[in-house]
Amino acid sequence: MLKPLINLIKALSSNTDPGAIAHAFCSGILLGFMPKDNLMWYVLFVFILFMRIQRATYTLSLVAGALLAALLDPVFDAVGWWFLTLDRAVPFYVRLLNVPFVAFTKFNNTIVMGSLVCGILAYIPLYFLARLVIWLWRKYLAESVRRLKLVQLLKQVPLIERLSAIAGGR
């Protein structure tokens, strides 16, 4: 878990595209919100891996989203219940359930549907928030953090030095 964190810090300070970092963050949060026991999660997980994103950020935000999901389950349940009981959508959901393998997505579970809807609705605001944080980090914080005595001391610890060399590919 330390290697993705080191890669994230390097990406924030490097020439990595801020959009790739922000999309990775939002995609990880979206998937972290969703329960992991359904086909929809696995399809989205594989699809996102084919996108041009920063993998360390994706991994860390997926874990963070999964930790937040436990707290947000009542919200996901309420949103999913509302979304699945819309009068105009019920016939569509019935037709979807009659399609082979669609039931394996568990879209008719209130928490699965609620977490998907909440994740999609949060994607764009989180994207712009992540871009803002990246800009603030690069403009104001990165150099200050690099000059901290604690960071200088940590760089001299052999384990940290070795992990950063592994993460850097040297």
Side-chain angles (χ1 to χ4, degrees), residues 4 24 48-60:
I48 290 170
L49 285 178
F50 283 109
M51 293 172 31
R52 179 173 243 131
I53 59 171
Q54 213 278 326
R55 303 269 193 277
T57 306
Y58 176 63
T59 304
L60 290 173

Side-chain angles (χ1 to χ4, degrees), residues 1 29 32-33 36 60-73:
M1 197 61 179
I29 293 292
F33 280 175
K36 281 72 176 161
L60 290 173
S61 63
L62 192 124
V63 171
L67 293 173
L68 278 173
L71 299 172
L72 296 173
D73 268 353

Side-chain angles (χ1 to χ4, degrees), residues 9-23:
I9 293 170
K10 281 185 176 185
L12 286 174
S13 301
S14 72
N15 202 15
T16 304
D17 178 32
I21 299 170
H23 279 299

Side-chain angles (χ1 to χ4, degrees), residues 97-170:
L97 282 173
N98 290 326
V99 175
F101 298 107
V102 171
F104 293 127
T105 64
K106 294 187 181 179
F107 77 90
N108 57 336
N109 181 316
T110 56
I111 293 178
V112 171
M113 182 59 82
S115 62
L116 178 66
V117 169
C118 288
I120 290 171
L121 291 176
Y123 197 96
I124 292 177
L126 284 177
Y127 175 81
F128 287 113
L129 180 66
R131 294 282 302 235
L132 176 66
V133 168
I134 294 164
W135 180 78
L136 290 172
W137 172 265
R138 289 180 178 177
K139 181 113 173 138
Y140 299 109
L141 296 173
E143 192 57 40
S144 301
V145 170
R146 241 183 255 122
R147 282 188 263 137
L148 288 175
K149 295 253 187 228
L150 178 66
V151 173
Q152 298 300 323
L153 287 172
L154 283 175
K155 283 183 178 179
Q156 295 174 356
V157 174
L159 177 65
I160 303 287
E161 186 178 329
R162 185 150 189 227
L163 283 173
S164 67
I166 290 170
R170 288 183 270 148

Side-chain angles (χ1 to χ4, degrees), residues 80-97 107-108 113:
W81 177 260
W82 175 81
F83 203 76
L84 288 170
T85 56
L86 290 172
D87 289 333
R88 292 185 177 177
V90 170
F92 174 70
Y93 298 143
V94 170
R95 276 185 272 147
L96 269 181
L97 282 173
F107 77 90
N108 57 336
M113 182 59 82

